[in-house]
């Protein structure tokens, strides 16, 4: 029930489709914060999932622990017959991820990774344009993501200590958007990640990649947490070259969907 847990708890509390029945955290201070911010009684805040299971009825578990806790908590929830929604990144290794996928399949339960960028209007609009095929097949895609998350003091700043902070914590959203927007699956990835001299991150804060997809699209991706250039929205800036024109789009500003924009330019015609 840290920052992400409280954010998710508030989201669920506002939802008409779900009910928040309990919170779990090993730390008493975190449970106290959850009680205060989410208006939960103390008897609905537990120190373990087993304790919660023995006390309240629930259908699903939302896992917002640190990465190291994702797999054990998800496996425990699936073993108890619960659906699971996991924060990203999914798992520390591919083998761990497969264990959880196999456990969900065996239990007949839904396992979903939170990839919320899929549900913003610009991404959905572009996916629909690609499916309609008005501009023809997609040949090349250029994606740029730039932020300067490098101003905080390095001491005790968790973001700086993340493993592969760009690729695992941010670029996975863009990678998932590629799959969703193109309606294709990746065949091959060539990637180089590095840490610029001025970066306060422990591991690479910048990366460039070329990704080949099974429908013929080739994506060129550039991302950075420490870029001094003008920052992009969280979706990044996308330029997609199609047979009969191009699509430029961006979305998910700091406030939500207010900055979502899609521009289409057919060959020989004005952009709209």
């Amino acid at each position: 029930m840290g920052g992400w847990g409280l954010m998710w708890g508030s989201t669920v509390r506002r939802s008409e489709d779900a009910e928040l029945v309990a919170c779990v955290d090993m730390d008493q201070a975190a449970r106290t914060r959850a009680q205060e911010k989410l208006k939960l009684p103390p008897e609905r805040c537990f120190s373990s999932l087993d304790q919660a299971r023995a006390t309240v009825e629930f259908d699903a578990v939302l896992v917002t622990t640190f990465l190291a806790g994702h797999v054990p908590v998800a496996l425990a929830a699936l073993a108890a017959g619960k659906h699971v929604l996991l924060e990203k990144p999914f798992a520390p290794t591919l083998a761990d991820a497969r264990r959880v996928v196999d456990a969900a399949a065996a239990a007949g339960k839904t396992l979903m990774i939170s990839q919320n960028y899929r549900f913003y209007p610009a991404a959905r609009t572009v996916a629909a344009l690609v499916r309609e095929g008005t501009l023809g097949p997609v040949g090349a895609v250029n994606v740029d993501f730039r932020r300067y998350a490098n101003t905080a003091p390095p001491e005790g700043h968790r973001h700086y200590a993340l493993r592969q902070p760009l690729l695992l914590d941010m670029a996975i959203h863009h990678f998932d958007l590629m799959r969703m927007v193109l309606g294709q699956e990746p065949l091959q990835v060539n990637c180089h990640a590095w840490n610029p001299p001025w970066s306060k991150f422990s591991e690479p804060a910048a990366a460039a990649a070329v990704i080949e997809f099974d429908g013929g699209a080739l994506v060129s991706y550039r991302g950075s947490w420490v870029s001094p250039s003008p920052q992009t929205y969280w979706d990044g800036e996308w330029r997609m070259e199609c047979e009969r024109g191009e699509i430029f789009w961006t979305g998910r500003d700091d406030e939500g969907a207010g900055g979502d924009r899609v521009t289409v330019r057919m060959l020989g015609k004005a952009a709209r």
Side-chain angles (χ1 to χ4, degrees):
M1 294 309 301
W4 280 119
L6 291 173
M7 182 276 293
W8 268 109
S10 298
T11 301
V12 174
R13 289 301 295 266
R14 295 193 302 270
S15 171
E16 297 178 358
D17 303 309
E19 179 187 359
L20 180 66
V21 297
C23 290
V24 176
D25 199 293
M26 294 174 2
D27 182 63
Q28 176 60 57
R31 295 197 299 274
T32 300
R33 281 195 304 274
Q35 292 169 29
E36 295 171 353
K37 293 189 177 294
L38 302 176
K39 304 295 189 287
L40 279 174
E43 61 269 21
R44 290 299 182 98
C45 294
F46 303 95
S47 60
S48 72
L49 185 59
D50 285 342
Q51 200 178 58
R53 280 181 54 208
T55 310
V56 297
E57 292 186 9
F58 55 95
D59 303 306
V61 175
L62 173 56
V63 184
T64 60
T65 65
F66 289 122
L67 177 58
H70 283 191
V71 170
V73 176
L75 289 174
L78 291 167
K82 311 300 179 184
H83 303 290
V84 174
L85 175 60
L86 263 169
E87 256 297 347
K88 53 82 189 171
F90 179 4
T93 69
L94 188 58
D96 286 327
R98 284 181 172 144
R99 283 174 59 209
V100 185
V101 169
D102 290 345
K109 295 298 176 181
T110 296
L111 166 70
M112 184 176 178
I113 311 306
S114 172
Q115 291 291 1
N116 54 325
Y117 285 41
R118 283 178 170 234
F119 300 97
Y120 281 78
R124 298 185 81 77
T125 298
V126 175
L129 285 169
V130 171
R131 283 195 302 273
E132 289 164 6
T134 305
L135 282 82
V138 180
V141 181
N142 293 292
V143 183
D144 283 288
F145 171 77
R146 299 181 302 274
R147 287 270 159 163
Y148 193 78
N150 202 45
T151 57
E155 294 77 18
H157 192 59
R158 288 177 175 168
H159 198 201
Y160 293 154
L162 289 179
R163 184 164 70 93
Q164 288 289 350
L166 180 78
L167 294 178
L168 292 183
D169 191 53
M170 190 64 231
I172 55 167
H173 280 301
H174 304 135
F175 188 60
D176 184 67
L177 281 175
M178 294 170 200
R179 297 172 56 239
M180 177 261 194
V181 166
L182 292 169
Q184 301 179 29
E185 292 298 331
L187 293 174
Q188 179 172 283
V189 179
N190 291 286
C191 181
H192 180 71
W194 72 98
N195 222 7
W198 59 89
S199 171
K200 295 178 183 176
F201 287 80
S202 300
E203 295 204 18
V210 176
I211 306 156
E212 178 187 352
F213 282 81
D214 60 6
L218 195 75
V219 178
S220 174
Y221 176 79
R222 297 184 300 183
S224 176
W225 274 128
V226 294
S227 173
S229 299
Q231 76 173 19
T232 63
Y233 289 157
W234 292 103
D235 277 348
E237 295 173 344
W238 295 60
R239 191 170 294 279
M240 304 173 62
E241 298 179 357
C242 307
E243 180 184 10
R244 292 185 287 276
E246 69 169 356
I247 304 170
F248 175 83
W249 69 277
T250 186
R252 201 175 187 279
D253 63 18
D254 289 340
E255 304 302 321
D260 280 41
R261 295 288 183 275
V262 179
T263 300
V264 176
R265 186 181 62 80
M266 300 288 288
L267 274 174
K269 295 185 179 180
R272 61 179 179 87

